Amino acid sequence: MHVVVLGAGYAGVTLTRKLENALPPEADLTIVDEADDHLVQHEVHRVIRRPSITDAIEVPLESLFDRAEVVTARVESVDTDANEVDLDTGETLAYDYGALCLGAETAFYDLPGVEEHGLPLKSVSDAEAIRERALDLFDVDEPASVVVGGAGLSGVQVAGELAALADEEGASDRVDITLLEQLDSVAPAFPEAFQDAVANELTERDIEIRTETAVTEATDSTVATRHEAAGETDELDADLFVWTGGIAGPDAMAGNRPIVRRDLRLTKSMFALGDTARVVDADGEAVPASASAAIRAANPAAENIAKLVEWELVGREGFEPELTPFRFNVPGWIVSVGDGAVAQVGPEVVTGSAAKALKASVGAGYLSSIQAVQKATELVGEELEA
């Protein structure tokens, strides 16, 4: 009996650790990822201003597991009919049960020039590239324009880091930062009070916010836009253009993000969770693509895979076991904005030092949960310094 977890992001790592305890000893467990390290993705924007944080947010995969075999390879394709996974090493892995946790890629929507000229933020190397380009601009005593496309949490955090970096480099008086969002507010998937507080934090840092504004094209020095309501077009100077405007499924799934529902089951033998899938929970609610959702989905996914494995091992006696539903409940949301933060806990919105402390505790709490305690300590120090 072989269980394969594809991807070592939040969903994959949390699921694999839970499966190590939940699966019977007869079952083999493998996790596959193209990287040797697990990345604490929600902190990667910090690398733009604090490259030293990389040490705290990258955790060697081999250190996270006691039982699972770690395979370092890129997943090229998944055949859910044949229960096979093709890797870039030329190897084909057969599985009895599996979980798609491959995360998502940046979506460019075939907008002319956006993929070519817009820097994404999915990895440490992406953050380093943004930092290098920004420092080149800030080092020259001339006006500069920065455009960030997409005002979800990632775009908000990138804009905040760039504003703080410009301030630290003594360039804030000659650098204009504009944050674009196609919908009618920043952080559009979140509660209104949270949105308002985020907008205030951005404005306090002289970041111009343009909502209902879609990017239509990019060149090496400009970003063209269209106002969704008025239909007006504009062209912005962009010495640096960062694109965080959407997500697509992984390459191994041809860019698709399949829909899975309350039991997270994609096929009879494959589950999907995290950003790889569009998840609809037990209450019929669409689950946002977020670290908290990926981590919380791992528990019912592990329970369901373990139930099915045990059922298989006893010869499928009786009916297939009833699977545990996923119901997404989260106590609140948090986002950093440069050297500040906004948190919503229940109905209450918190900013300032209290929100900043909460932000530090979230990342540290996650690292502690996967037994990376030293990394957690390092992260708290880096976060509170920011």
Side-chain angles (χ1 to χ4, degrees):
M1 182 65 64
H2 189 200
V3 177
V4 171
V5 177
L6 305 177
Y10 294 111
V13 163
T14 309
L15 173 60
T16 301
R17 287 177 57 83
K18 291 182 179 297
L19 286 172
E20 286 190 316
N21 294 321
L23 290 175
E26 307 96 293
D28 295 320
L29 177 61
T30 301
I31 182 169
V32 182
D33 197 272
E34 61 184 306
D36 294 323
D37 296 317
H38 169 59
L39 177 65
V40 183
Q41 179 76 44
H42 73 273
E43 295 286 354
V44 74
H45 65 282
R46 289 296 196 200
V47 177
I48 295 171
R49 188 160 50 112
R50 298 280 184 268
S52 59
I53 204 172
T54 300
D55 290 339
I57 64 174
E58 289 186 333
V59 187
L61 283 180
E62 292 284 357
S63 71
L64 296 177
F65 309 113
D66 298 320
R67 172 180 173 183
E69 178 188 4
V70 177
V71 173
T72 304
R74 180 178 176 82
V75 175
E76 294 288 347
S77 63
V78 181
D79 187 335
T80 55
D81 293 324
N83 283 18
E84 291 181 343
V85 180
D86 289 331
L87 308 179
D88 65 352
T89 58
E91 182 182 4
T92 297
L93 287 181
Y95 64 88
D96 295 288
Y97 287 97
L100 283 170
C101 306
L102 291 169
E105 300 294 333
T106 301
F108 296 97
Y109 306 113
D110 295 323
L111 295 169
V114 171
E115 184 170 6
E116 180 182 358
H117 301 292
L119 298 180
L121 183 69
K122 295 293 289 182
S123 66
V124 168
S125 61
D126 290 339
E128 290 171 340
I130 295 169
R131 173 182 170 82
E132 182 178 351
R133 185 80 66 85
L135 288 177
D136 286 344
L137 292 177
F138 302 162
D139 285 345
V140 179
D141 192 17
E142 294 180 3
S145 297
V146 175
V147 176
V148 179
L153 298 190
S154 183
V156 166
Q157 294 185 142
V158 169
E161 290 300 309
L162 288 169
L165 182 61
D167 188 52
E168 291 177 0
E169 295 295 315
S172 57
D173 60 338
R174 52 186 168 79
V175 174
D176 295 324
I177 300 176
T178 303
L179 180 61
L180 306 177
E181 172 54 49
Q182 185 172 4
L183 300 178
D184 61 2
S185 68
V186 298
F190 298 89
E192 185 175 351
F194 183 79
Q195 294 171 353
D196 291 343
V198 170
N200 288 338
E201 291 285 323
L202 292 165
T203 301
E204 286 178 7
R205 288 158 178 79
D206 294 324
I207 297 168
E208 181 182 358
I209 301 168
R210 295 194 185 187
T211 56
E212 296 186 274
T213 302
V215 171
T216 58
E217 187 174 354
T219 70
D220 61 354
S221 61
T222 63
V223 173
T225 66
R226 183 187 66 254
H227 191 277
E228 294 290 76
E232 298 171 349
T233 60
D234 196 5
E235 187 173 85
L236 306 177
D237 291 333
D239 300 297
L240 168 59
F241 176 38
V242 181
W243 177 252
T244 63
I247 61 174
D251 293 340
M253 301 297 291
N256 296 319
R257 296 177 66 222
I259 296 174
V260 292
R261 301 194 181 275
R262 53 183 288 153
D263 58 7
L264 302 170
R265 207 172 184 181
L266 180 62
T267 69
K268 287 291 186 181
S269 55
M270 180 63 78
F271 290 74
L273 56 156
D275 292 357
T276 293
R278 290 176 289 162
V279 179
V280 179
D281 78 353
D283 295 322
E285 297 290 333
V287 177
S290 64
S292 59
I295 292 165
R296 284 166 170 77
N299 193 58
E303 290 181 15
N304 291 338
I305 292 171
K307 287 178 183 179
L308 290 167
V309 167
E310 290 171 354
W311 181 61
E312 291 273 2
L313 289 174
V314 297
R316 297 191 175 192
E317 291 182 5
F319 293 107
E320 183 178 273
E322 182 177 352
L323 300 186
T324 301
F326 172 45
R327 181 170 282 105
F328 180 57
N329 292 309
V330 64
W333 301 100
I334 192 162
V335 63
S336 63
V337 188
D339 55 2
V342 177
Q344 180 159 357
V345 183
E348 184 177 0
V349 174
V350 180
T351 59
S353 58
K356 191 171 177 178
L358 280 170
K359 183 70 164 63
S361 70
V362 168
Y366 170 70
L367 284 166
S368 297
S369 76
I370 59 173
Q371 303 303 307
V373 178
Q374 180 60 41
K375 299 283 188 179
T377 303
E378 293 172 15
L379 181 60
V380 169
E382 292 281 359
E383 272 280 11
L384 294 181
E385 180 186 344

